[in-house]
Amino acid sequence: MSLAQRMLHYLADACGVDHPKQQHFLLAVSGGKDSVVMAHLFAQTGLSFGIGHCNFQLRGKAADEDAAFVEDLARQLNCPFHQTAFDTLAVAEQLSVSVQMAARELRYEWLENIREASGYDYVATAHHLTDAVETQIFHLVRGTGMRGLLGIPPRNGWVVRPLLFASQSALSDYQETQGLAYREDSSNAETKYTRNFIRHRVLPAFRELNPRLEQSLGENMQRFRESLFLMEQMLNRIEEAAKTQDGDRILYQLDTLKAFAPALPTVLFELLSPFGLNTTQANDLASGIHEGQPGKVFLTPTHEIALAAEVLEVVARGETVQQSLVIEREAEQLRFPGGYLYFQLLEKVPETFSGDPEVAHFDHETLAFPLTLRKWEAGDQFQPFGMGGKHQKIQDYFSNHKFTRAEKAATWILVDAKGTILWLVGHRSNHANRVRSSTLQCLKVRVLMD
């Protein structure tokens, strides 16, 4: 079976695209070898597609030449061409994120806008099996659970990755055989980036142990996916058997939990992370259960989890601590469960901003007082700063930034009197309330977590 035929089957089977030849794809093409091969494979299979290219303006003249190369490629393949350019360094500084993260967010945001506006069914990226292996190793080295061992998913919403079945060497062989021209990004050879270090230093050493490294780890990823499915099914059954509700209290029967003693820390984390329990607390709680220590209490940003003789008792801290706090115009400091907020009305609008995620700046005149600090709720949405004013559900923001259930539960939001969400505290402020050149008064807000 040819590489093009394998890609077509992978789109239908692994990516879950029904009848690929009846769909319309927007290909994310950088001009590099992998995305050029993807474009040619789409053309070879007769799939309907257009090409999208982002110029991140990070490599001067070379970036402009990349854009011209991809535009010419689209012309050769007789397909629609879409392009844009970003001041990526400025966005990274504004959002206090790495350049790579800023580029990723800008690219996916723009591709989704083009997909919707131009009637494409899917966005396709050229991630391949070696990329997935690098991701798996990166997560493994940092420390991860089962989900971190899955590599890169074949599909995420409307984004599909039709080359995940193929290693980088297989794509290189195809490029050489077909004599396909492509653009080389010199930064790909620099080992100062973690992913490049894995690619150029770690994987070659691993291949000395196993020449079929990508294929073997790819098979492992599939086993991990299947294992995760089974684990989640079992967790659902444990929760059904152990969990009861008594008014405002949620109770977990210890006898049921103890039946899974060898995996108790993982069981506790999976069941209780929605209430803010972290992995360290889960380990300590498991030890308390094993050693029979009733009376131990674990406090999370949102809940109190108490170990009794026969049950775990989970109570929202809102019973004893306000979960919605009002902030008047004159406020300089606010204590909330988990930290402090400090407010300062600056006499002079700053010319530059540090990008510290623990600090937010707002145009004071755009704020409707009093402000409110509360926990996020389902359906909340805001305009993430740096994304051109587009609205986004907070739940989608969490998903895009891979928030854990515990991190979601711990998130606070700052809201004004009109209900406008001003700040996901410690993460991202609202575009509409940003400081502009016309701003006369700037409100600086800093968060300090306990």
Side-chain angles (χ1 to χ4, degrees), residues 69 87 92 126 160 180 187 231 243 252 258 397 413:
F69 172 84
D87 188 348
V160 295
L180 304 180
S187 67
M231 183 181 83
K243 181 179 176 181
Y252 289 88
K258 287 177 181 178
Y397 180 90
I413 61 175

Side-chain angles (χ1 to χ4, degrees), residues 145-341:
M146 182 76 74
R147 293 174 181 84
L149 298 177
L150 303 183
I152 301 173
R155 176 174 173 176
N156 184 7
W158 299 109
V159 177
V160 295
R161 295 162 180 123
L163 299 184
L164 274 183
F165 69 92
S167 67
Q168 188 175 45
S169 61
L171 299 182
S172 294
D173 290 344
Y174 180 89
Q175 175 268 323
E176 291 179 6
T177 300
Q178 300 295 319
L180 304 180
Y182 66 94
R183 296 281 298 172
E184 186 64 71
D185 184 345
S186 59
S187 67
N188 288 336
E190 298 177 3
T191 56
K192 66 180 181 180
Y193 299 114
T194 303
R195 183 174 291 277
N196 286 356
F197 180 84
I198 293 173
R199 179 175 301 171
H200 298 298
R201 302 283 289 276
V202 176
L203 293 189
F206 281 4
R207 290 193 187 99
E208 292 183 12
L209 300 175
N210 181 359
R212 294 185 68 257
L213 180 69
E214 282 90 345
Q215 289 75 16
S216 295
L217 293 187
E219 292 166 0
N220 287 347
M221 289 178 209
Q222 182 56 37
R223 295 190 189 99
F224 292 144
R225 276 190 200 93
E226 295 167 0
S227 298
L228 179 61
F229 172 81
L230 294 175
M231 183 181 83
E232 290 179 338
Q233 297 301 307
M234 179 55 70
L235 284 168
N236 289 338
R237 294 185 182 182
I238 295 172
E239 186 164 48
E240 289 176 4
K243 181 179 176 181
T244 58
Q245 189 94 22
D246 180 14
D248 293 330
R249 300 185 307 156
I250 298 173
L251 305 176
Y252 289 88
Q253 300 298 319
L254 292 185
D255 284 347
T256 303
L257 299 179
K258 287 177 181 178
F260 301 90
L264 191 54
T266 295
V267 170
L268 292 171
F269 175 76
E270 292 292 338
L271 294 181
L272 302 178
S273 61
F275 306 118
L277 194 78
N278 60 41
T279 53
T280 300
Q281 291 174 315
N283 289 332
D284 291 344
L285 179 54
S287 296
I289 293 173
H290 285 311
E291 296 167 10
Q293 298 176 337
K296 295 191 72 171
V297 176
F298 298 83
L299 298 180
T300 78
T302 58
H303 287 76
E304 178 179 296
I305 301 172
L307 176 57
E310 297 180 354
V311 297
L312 278 180
E313 180 178 339
V314 181
V315 180
R317 294 182 67 183
E319 297 300 312
T320 56
V321 181
Q322 279 185 287
Q323 294 295 295
S324 178
L325 303 168
V326 176
I327 303 154
E328 299 294 345
R329 186 183 297 270
E330 299 79 14
E332 296 181 356
Q333 176 180 313
L334 175 74
R335 172 62 171 162
F336 67 93
Y340 290 87
L341 284 181

